[in-house]
Amino acid sequence: MSKPSDLVQGTLDILLLKMLALEPLHGWAISQRLKQVSGNILQVSDGSLYPALHKLEQAGWIKAEWKTSELGRRAKFYSLTRRGRGQLARQAADWERLSGAISHVMRLKEA
């Protein structure tokens, strides 16, 4: 898969917001869930994941809380805020518009 820097700007943000809209998760679980639901196509390195989570937290779109993980270890669990839900809705609408336009161009018949 392409590295996150090769993806459309903001793609990682919307993917993280969507994962957290489903349920609160800690960083490693977010990474694993994204990998799982994408059929092992989307993989995010720690070096991209944690700075992105920090940025989303600073923006007020997610919040973090220390809890015990399923393995009995303390982990920082992230969850979507109300502002984050609004941001996800806006970004999802933008993504649908952009991906639809790209799909339209890619379906053009070649000469």
Side-chain angles (χ1 to χ4, degrees):
M1 183 190 114
S2 301
K3 293 183 233 172
S5 61
D6 296 337
L7 299 175
V8 175
Q9 182 67 36
T11 302
L12 182 55
D13 291 354
I14 193 172
L15 293 172
L16 295 176
L17 291 174
K18 182 61 179 182
M19 290 295 99
L20 295 174
L22 302 173
E23 66 179 308
L25 296 166
H26 53 81
W28 186 81
I30 294 168
S31 177
Q32 292 304 300
R33 178 68 53 83
L34 187 56
K35 185 176 170 182
Q36 175 192 26
V37 299
S38 71
N40 292 327
I41 294 173
L42 300 175
Q43 298 180 34
V44 181
S45 70
D46 290 352
S48 296
L49 176 64
Y50 290 101
L53 288 170
H54 181 72
K55 182 182 80 168
L56 296 177
E57 189 176 6
Q58 292 298 308
W61 299 339
I62 65 173
K63 63 182 178 180
E65 181 180 2
W66 286 98
K67 295 182 181 179
T68 303
S69 74
E70 58 280 357
L71 299 176
R73 298 175 63 192
R74 288 190 42 79
K76 203 174 201 184
F77 279 74
Y78 299 91
S79 59
L80 205 58
T81 63
R82 188 170 161 198
R83 286 181 57 203
R85 289 193 187 284
Q87 183 64 20
L88 175 58
R90 285 186 293 281
Q91 286 188 8
D94 289 346
W95 178 258
E96 290 298 324
R97 213 170 22 262
L98 175 63
S99 63
I102 291 170
S103 293
H104 180 73
V105 170
M106 295 308 296
R107 285 191 300 265
L108 293 174
K109 299 291 182 204
E110 297 177 12

